[in-house]
Short mmCIF file of all heavy atoms in Angstrom, two decimals:
data_model
loop_
_atom_site.label_atom_id
_atom_site.label_comp_id
_atom_site.label_asym_id
_atom_site.label_seq_id
_atom_site.Cartn_x
_atom_site.Cartn_y
_atom_site.Cartn_z
N ILE A 299 81.36 -14.60 -139.60
CA ILE A 299 80.15 -15.30 -140.00
C ILE A 299 80.37 -16.80 -139.76
O ILE A 299 81.36 -17.37 -140.21
CB ILE A 299 79.82 -15.05 -141.48
CG1 ILE A 299 79.65 -13.55 -141.74
CG2 ILE A 299 78.58 -15.82 -141.91
CD1 ILE A 299 79.60 -13.17 -143.20
N THR A 300 79.43 -17.42 -139.06
CA THR A 300 79.51 -18.85 -138.80
C THR A 300 78.54 -19.59 -139.71
O THR A 300 77.64 -18.99 -140.31
CB THR A 300 79.22 -19.16 -137.32
OG1 THR A 300 77.96 -18.57 -136.96
CG2 THR A 300 80.32 -18.61 -136.43
N LEU A 301 78.72 -20.91 -139.81
CA LEU A 301 77.95 -21.71 -140.75
C LEU A 301 77.57 -23.05 -140.13
O LEU A 301 78.43 -23.76 -139.62
CB LEU A 301 78.78 -21.96 -142.01
CG LEU A 301 78.22 -22.94 -143.03
CD1 LEU A 301 76.99 -22.37 -143.72
CD2 LEU A 301 79.29 -23.31 -144.06
N SER A 302 76.29 -23.37 -140.17
CA SER A 302 75.81 -24.71 -139.83
C SER A 302 75.15 -25.29 -141.07
O SER A 302 74.71 -24.55 -141.96
CB SER A 302 74.78 -24.65 -138.69
OG SER A 302 75.42 -24.34 -137.47
N THR A 303 75.10 -26.61 -141.13
CA THR A 303 74.53 -27.27 -142.30
C THR A 303 73.49 -28.29 -141.89
O THR A 303 73.59 -28.91 -140.83
CB THR A 303 75.63 -27.97 -143.13
OG1 THR A 303 76.28 -28.96 -142.32
CG2 THR A 303 76.65 -26.98 -143.65
N ILE A 304 72.50 -28.46 -142.76
CA ILE A 304 71.49 -29.50 -142.60
C ILE A 304 71.47 -30.29 -143.90
O ILE A 304 71.18 -29.75 -144.96
CB ILE A 304 70.10 -28.92 -142.29
CG1 ILE A 304 70.13 -28.11 -141.00
CG2 ILE A 304 69.06 -30.04 -142.22
CD1 ILE A 304 68.82 -27.40 -140.68
N GLY A 305 71.79 -31.59 -143.79
CA GLY A 305 71.78 -32.45 -144.96
C GLY A 305 70.37 -32.94 -145.23
O GLY A 305 69.79 -33.64 -144.41
N VAL A 306 69.81 -32.56 -146.36
CA VAL A 306 68.43 -32.89 -146.71
C VAL A 306 68.42 -34.10 -147.64
O VAL A 306 69.11 -34.11 -148.66
CB VAL A 306 67.73 -31.69 -147.39
CG1 VAL A 306 66.32 -32.04 -147.78
CG2 VAL A 306 67.76 -30.47 -146.47
N GLY A 307 67.65 -35.09 -147.29
CA GLY A 307 67.51 -36.27 -148.13
C GLY A 307 68.48 -37.38 -147.78
O GLY A 307 69.48 -37.17 -147.09
N LEU A 308 68.16 -38.57 -148.26
CA LEU A 308 68.96 -39.75 -147.94
C LEU A 308 70.31 -39.77 -148.65
O LEU A 308 71.23 -40.45 -148.21
CB LEU A 308 68.18 -41.02 -148.28
CG LEU A 308 66.88 -41.21 -147.48
CD1 LEU A 308 66.11 -42.41 -148.01
CD2 LEU A 308 67.19 -41.39 -146.00
N ASP A 309 70.43 -39.02 -149.74
CA ASP A 309 71.67 -39.03 -150.51
C ASP A 309 72.59 -37.86 -150.17
O ASP A 309 73.57 -37.62 -150.88
CB ASP A 309 71.36 -39.00 -152.02
CG ASP A 309 70.64 -40.25 -152.47
OD1 ASP A 309 70.90 -41.32 -151.89
OD2 ASP A 309 69.83 -40.17 -153.42
N ALA A 310 72.29 -37.15 -149.12
CA ALA A 310 73.10 -35.97 -148.76
C ALA A 310 74.55 -36.38 -148.52
O ALA A 310 74.82 -37.44 -147.95
CB ALA A 310 72.54 -35.30 -147.51
N ASP A 311 75.45 -35.54 -148.96
CA ASP A 311 76.88 -35.77 -148.74
C ASP A 311 77.20 -35.36 -147.31
O ASP A 311 77.64 -34.24 -147.04
CB ASP A 311 77.69 -34.97 -149.76
CG ASP A 311 79.17 -35.28 -149.70
OD1 ASP A 311 79.63 -35.85 -148.68
OD2 ASP A 311 79.88 -34.94 -150.65
N GLN A 312 76.96 -36.26 -146.38
CA GLN A 312 77.11 -35.95 -144.96
C GLN A 312 78.53 -35.57 -144.59
O GLN A 312 78.74 -34.68 -143.76
CB GLN A 312 76.66 -37.14 -144.11
CG GLN A 312 75.18 -37.41 -144.24
CD GLN A 312 74.73 -38.53 -143.35
OE1 GLN A 312 75.38 -38.88 -142.36
NE2 GLN A 312 73.58 -39.11 -143.66
N GLU A 313 79.51 -36.21 -145.20
CA GLU A 313 80.90 -35.89 -144.88
C GLU A 313 81.23 -34.45 -145.25
O GLU A 313 81.83 -33.71 -144.47
CB GLU A 313 81.85 -36.87 -145.58
CG GLU A 313 83.30 -36.67 -145.20
CD GLU A 313 83.58 -36.81 -143.70
OE1 GLU A 313 82.89 -37.58 -143.02
OE2 GLU A 313 84.49 -36.10 -143.22
N LEU A 314 80.86 -34.04 -146.46
CA LEU A 314 81.10 -32.66 -146.88
C LEU A 314 80.38 -31.67 -145.97
O LEU A 314 80.97 -30.68 -145.54
CB LEU A 314 80.63 -32.45 -148.33
CG LEU A 314 80.65 -31.00 -148.83
CD1 LEU A 314 82.06 -30.43 -148.83
CD2 LEU A 314 80.03 -30.91 -150.21
N LEU A 315 79.14 -31.96 -145.63
CA LEU A 315 78.37 -31.05 -144.79
C LEU A 315 78.91 -30.98 -143.36
O LEU A 315 78.92 -29.92 -142.75
CB LEU A 315 76.89 -31.44 -144.81
CG LEU A 315 76.25 -31.33 -146.19
CD1 LEU A 315 74.82 -31.83 -146.16
CD2 LEU A 315 76.33 -29.91 -146.72
N ARG A 316 79.41 -32.08 -142.85
CA ARG A 316 80.07 -32.06 -141.53
C ARG A 316 81.33 -31.20 -141.58
O ARG A 316 81.60 -30.42 -140.68
CB ARG A 316 80.43 -33.48 -141.09
CG ARG A 316 79.31 -34.23 -140.47
CD ARG A 316 79.81 -35.53 -139.83
NE ARG A 316 78.69 -36.26 -139.30
CZ ARG A 316 78.03 -37.21 -139.96
NH1 ARG A 316 78.40 -37.56 -141.16
NH2 ARG A 316 77.01 -37.83 -139.40
N GLN A 317 82.11 -31.38 -142.64
CA GLN A 317 83.34 -30.60 -142.78
C GLN A 317 83.03 -29.11 -142.88
O GLN A 317 83.70 -28.30 -142.24
CB GLN A 317 84.11 -31.05 -144.02
CG GLN A 317 84.75 -32.39 -143.89
CD GLN A 317 85.38 -32.87 -145.19
OE1 GLN A 317 85.32 -32.20 -146.22
NE2 GLN A 317 85.98 -34.05 -145.15
N LEU A 318 82.02 -28.76 -143.67
CA LEU A 318 81.65 -27.35 -143.79
C LEU A 318 81.23 -26.77 -142.45
O LEU A 318 81.63 -25.66 -142.09
CB LEU A 318 80.52 -27.18 -144.82
CG LEU A 318 80.89 -27.39 -146.27
CD1 LEU A 318 79.64 -27.37 -147.14
CD2 LEU A 318 81.87 -26.33 -146.74
N ALA A 319 80.42 -27.52 -141.71
CA ALA A 319 79.98 -27.05 -140.40
C ALA A 319 81.16 -26.90 -139.45
O ALA A 319 81.26 -25.91 -138.72
CB ALA A 319 78.93 -28.00 -139.82
N ASP A 320 82.08 -27.85 -139.48
CA ASP A 320 83.28 -27.75 -138.63
C ASP A 320 84.11 -26.54 -139.01
O ASP A 320 84.55 -25.77 -138.15
CB ASP A 320 84.14 -29.01 -138.75
CG ASP A 320 83.55 -30.21 -138.03
OD1 ASP A 320 82.64 -30.03 -137.19
OD2 ASP A 320 83.99 -31.34 -138.32
N MET A 321 84.36 -26.36 -140.31
CA MET A 321 85.15 -25.22 -140.76
C MET A 321 84.45 -23.90 -140.46
O MET A 321 85.10 -22.89 -140.23
CB MET A 321 85.44 -25.32 -142.26
CG MET A 321 86.41 -26.41 -142.63
SD MET A 321 86.83 -26.42 -144.39
CE MET A 321 85.35 -27.03 -145.14
N GLY A 322 83.12 -23.93 -140.45
CA GLY A 322 82.35 -22.71 -140.21
C GLY A 322 82.01 -22.49 -138.75
O GLY A 322 81.21 -21.61 -138.42
N ALA A 323 82.61 -23.28 -137.85
CA ALA A 323 82.37 -23.18 -136.40
C ALA A 323 80.89 -23.33 -136.07
O ALA A 323 80.37 -22.69 -135.17
CB ALA A 323 82.92 -21.87 -135.85
N GLY A 324 80.22 -24.20 -136.83
CA GLY A 324 78.80 -24.45 -136.60
C GLY A 324 78.54 -25.91 -136.31
O GLY A 324 79.42 -26.64 -135.85
N ARG A 325 77.34 -26.34 -136.60
CA ARG A 325 76.92 -27.70 -136.33
C ARG A 325 76.36 -28.33 -137.61
O ARG A 325 75.85 -27.63 -138.48
CB ARG A 325 75.83 -27.72 -135.25
CG ARG A 325 76.39 -27.45 -133.86
CD ARG A 325 75.35 -26.87 -132.93
NE ARG A 325 74.93 -25.54 -133.35
CZ ARG A 325 75.63 -24.41 -133.14
NH1 ARG A 325 76.79 -24.46 -132.53
NH2 ARG A 325 75.19 -23.24 -133.55
N TYR A 326 76.41 -29.66 -137.67
CA TYR A 326 75.79 -30.40 -138.76
C TYR A 326 74.58 -31.15 -138.22
O TYR A 326 74.63 -31.70 -137.11
CB TYR A 326 76.77 -31.42 -139.37
CG TYR A 326 76.06 -32.42 -140.24
CD1 TYR A 326 75.61 -32.06 -141.51
CD2 TYR A 326 75.80 -33.71 -139.79
CE1 TYR A 326 74.92 -32.97 -142.30
CE2 TYR A 326 75.12 -34.62 -140.58
CZ TYR A 326 74.68 -34.24 -141.83
OH TYR A 326 74.00 -35.13 -142.61
N TYR A 327 73.50 -31.16 -139.00
CA TYR A 327 72.30 -31.90 -138.63
C TYR A 327 71.92 -32.82 -139.78
O TYR A 327 71.97 -32.42 -140.95
CB TYR A 327 71.13 -30.95 -138.36
CG TYR A 327 71.38 -30.02 -137.21
CD1 TYR A 327 71.87 -28.74 -137.44
CD2 TYR A 327 71.12 -30.41 -135.90
CE1 TYR A 327 72.09 -27.87 -136.39
CE2 TYR A 327 71.34 -29.53 -134.84
CZ TYR A 327 71.82 -28.27 -135.10
OH TYR A 327 72.05 -27.41 -134.06
N ASP A 328 71.50 -34.03 -139.45
CA ASP A 328 71.01 -34.98 -140.44
C ASP A 328 69.53 -34.73 -140.64
O ASP A 328 68.72 -34.97 -139.75
CB ASP A 328 71.26 -36.40 -139.94
CG ASP A 328 70.75 -37.47 -140.90
OD1 ASP A 328 70.14 -37.12 -141.93
OD2 ASP A 328 70.98 -38.65 -140.61
N GLY A 329 69.18 -34.22 -141.82
CA GLY A 329 67.79 -33.95 -142.14
C GLY A 329 67.23 -34.93 -143.14
O GLY A 329 66.45 -34.55 -144.02
N SER A 330 67.63 -36.20 -143.03
CA SER A 330 67.18 -37.19 -144.00
C SER A 330 65.67 -37.41 -143.92
O SER A 330 65.05 -37.79 -144.90
CB SER A 330 67.94 -38.51 -143.84
OG SER A 330 67.83 -38.99 -142.52
N ASP A 331 65.09 -37.16 -142.75
CA ASP A 331 63.63 -37.23 -142.61
C ASP A 331 63.07 -35.82 -142.76
O ASP A 331 63.31 -34.96 -141.91
CB ASP A 331 63.26 -37.81 -141.24
CG ASP A 331 61.77 -37.97 -141.05
OD1 ASP A 331 60.98 -37.39 -141.83
OD2 ASP A 331 61.39 -38.67 -140.10
N PRO A 332 62.34 -35.55 -143.83
CA PRO A 332 61.85 -34.18 -144.07
C PRO A 332 60.96 -33.66 -142.95
O PRO A 332 60.86 -32.45 -142.77
CB PRO A 332 61.09 -34.29 -145.40
CG PRO A 332 60.86 -35.73 -145.62
CD PRO A 332 61.90 -36.48 -144.86
N PHE A 333 60.35 -34.54 -142.21
CA PHE A 333 59.50 -34.11 -141.10
C PHE A 333 60.32 -33.54 -139.94
O PHE A 333 59.79 -32.86 -139.07
CB PHE A 333 58.59 -35.24 -140.62
CG PHE A 333 57.56 -35.63 -141.65
CD1 PHE A 333 57.71 -36.79 -142.39
CD2 PHE A 333 56.47 -34.81 -141.90
CE1 PHE A 333 56.78 -37.14 -143.35
CE2 PHE A 333 55.53 -35.15 -142.85
CZ PHE A 333 55.69 -36.31 -143.59
N ASP A 334 61.62 -33.82 -139.92
CA ASP A 334 62.51 -33.31 -138.87
C ASP A 334 63.00 -31.89 -139.16
O ASP A 334 63.55 -31.24 -138.27
CB ASP A 334 63.73 -34.21 -138.69
CG ASP A 334 63.39 -35.51 -138.00
OD1 ASP A 334 62.32 -35.59 -137.35
OD2 ASP A 334 64.21 -36.46 -138.11
N LEU A 335 62.87 -31.42 -140.39
CA LEU A 335 63.46 -30.13 -140.77
C LEU A 335 63.00 -28.96 -139.90
O LEU A 335 63.84 -28.20 -139.42
CB LEU A 335 63.24 -29.84 -142.25
CG LEU A 335 63.97 -30.78 -143.20
CD1 LEU A 335 63.63 -30.45 -144.65
CD2 LEU A 335 65.47 -30.72 -142.98
N PRO A 336 61.71 -28.79 -139.64
CA PRO A 336 61.31 -27.67 -138.76
C PRO A 336 61.95 -27.76 -137.37
O PRO A 336 62.44 -26.77 -136.84
CB PRO A 336 59.78 -27.79 -138.68
CG PRO A 336 59.40 -28.53 -139.91
CD PRO A 336 60.54 -29.48 -140.18
N LYS A 337 61.99 -28.96 -136.81
CA LYS A 337 62.59 -29.17 -135.49
C LYS A 337 64.08 -28.83 -135.50
O LYS A 337 64.60 -28.19 -134.57
CB LYS A 337 62.37 -30.62 -135.05
CG LYS A 337 63.04 -30.99 -133.75
CD LYS A 337 62.75 -32.43 -133.37
CE LYS A 337 63.32 -33.38 -134.39
NZ LYS A 337 63.16 -34.79 -134.06
N LEU A 338 64.77 -29.22 -136.57
CA LEU A 338 66.21 -28.94 -136.67
C LEU A 338 66.48 -27.44 -136.80
O LEU A 338 67.43 -26.92 -136.19
CB LEU A 338 66.82 -29.69 -137.86
CG LEU A 338 66.77 -31.22 -137.77
CD1 LEU A 338 67.27 -31.84 -139.06
CD2 LEU A 338 67.55 -31.72 -136.57
N LEU A 339 65.66 -26.75 -137.56
CA LEU A 339 65.83 -25.29 -137.70
C LEU A 339 65.58 -24.59 -136.37
O LEU A 339 66.32 -23.67 -136.00
CB LEU A 339 64.90 -24.74 -138.77
CG LEU A 339 65.34 -25.04 -140.20
CD1 LEU A 339 64.23 -24.70 -141.18
CD2 LEU A 339 66.61 -24.28 -140.54
N VAL A 340 64.57 -25.02 -135.64
CA VAL A 340 64.30 -24.42 -134.32
C VAL A 340 65.45 -24.71 -133.38
O VAL A 340 65.92 -23.82 -132.65
CB VAL A 340 62.97 -24.93 -133.75
CG1 VAL A 340 62.81 -24.55 -132.28
CG2 VAL A 340 61.80 -24.39 -134.57
N LYS A 341 65.95 -25.94 -133.39
CA LYS A 341 67.07 -26.31 -132.52
C LYS A 341 68.29 -25.43 -132.81
O LYS A 341 68.93 -24.90 -131.89
CB LYS A 341 67.43 -27.78 -132.71
CG LYS A 341 68.56 -28.25 -131.83
CD LYS A 341 68.82 -29.73 -132.01
CE LYS A 341 69.94 -30.17 -131.09
NZ LYS A 341 70.20 -31.60 -131.19
N GLU A 342 68.61 -25.25 -134.09
CA GLU A 342 69.78 -24.43 -134.45
C GLU A 342 69.55 -22.97 -134.07
O GLU A 342 70.47 -22.29 -133.59
CB GLU A 342 70.09 -24.56 -135.94
CG GLU A 342 71.28 -23.76 -136.40
CD GLU A 342 72.59 -24.13 -135.72
OE1 GLU A 342 72.66 -25.14 -134.97
OE2 GLU A 342 73.58 -23.41 -135.93
N THR A 343 68.35 -22.47 -134.26
CA THR A 343 68.03 -21.09 -133.88
C THR A 343 68.23 -20.89 -132.38
O THR A 343 68.79 -19.88 -131.95
CB THR A 343 66.59 -20.74 -134.29
OG1 THR A 343 66.48 -20.90 -135.70
CG2 THR A 343 66.23 -19.32 -133.90
N LEU A 344 67.78 -21.84 -131.59
CA LEU A 344 67.97 -21.74 -130.14
C LEU A 344 69.44 -21.80 -129.75
O LEU A 344 69.88 -21.08 -128.84
CB LEU A 344 67.18 -22.85 -129.42
CG LEU A 344 65.67 -22.73 -129.52
CD1 LEU A 344 65.00 -23.97 -128.92
CD2 LEU A 344 65.18 -21.46 -128.85
N GLU A 345 70.22 -22.63 -130.44
CA GLU A 345 71.67 -22.70 -130.18
C GLU A 345 72.33 -21.36 -130.46
O GLU A 345 73.16 -20.89 -129.68
CB GLU A 345 72.32 -23.80 -131.03
CG GLU A 345 71.98 -25.20 -130.62
CD GLU A 345 72.61 -25.58 -129.29
OE1 GLU A 345 73.68 -25.07 -128.93
OE2 GLU A 345 72.00 -26.42 -128.60
#
């Protein structure tokens, strides 16, 4: 099972989420702009 992360909000712990994605052989996405969330989910789904 692989893991990707999307950090939601301006206060997201980006370092932790990057580490989790790295450990999970996935990708990290910065979702600080809530309007980007649908685009990020589609991008990850395509990957």
Side-chain angles (χ1 to χ4, degrees):
I299 301 168
T300 54
L301 172 70
S302 289
T303 60
I304 300 175
V306 179
L308 297 173
D309 294 329
D311 187 342
Q312 294 183 21
E313 184 59 31
L314 172 62
L315 297 176
R316 277 191 183 93
Q317 289 174 358
L318 289 172
D320 287 344
M321 289 185 288
R325 285 155 294 282
Y326 166 75
Y327 298 95
D328 179 356
S330 55
D331 183 345
F333 293 104
D334 287 342
L335 293 177
K337 175 178 64 176
L338 296 174
L339 285 169
V340 168
K341 181 177 181 178
E342 180 61 8
T343 300
L344 293 173
E345 289 290 331

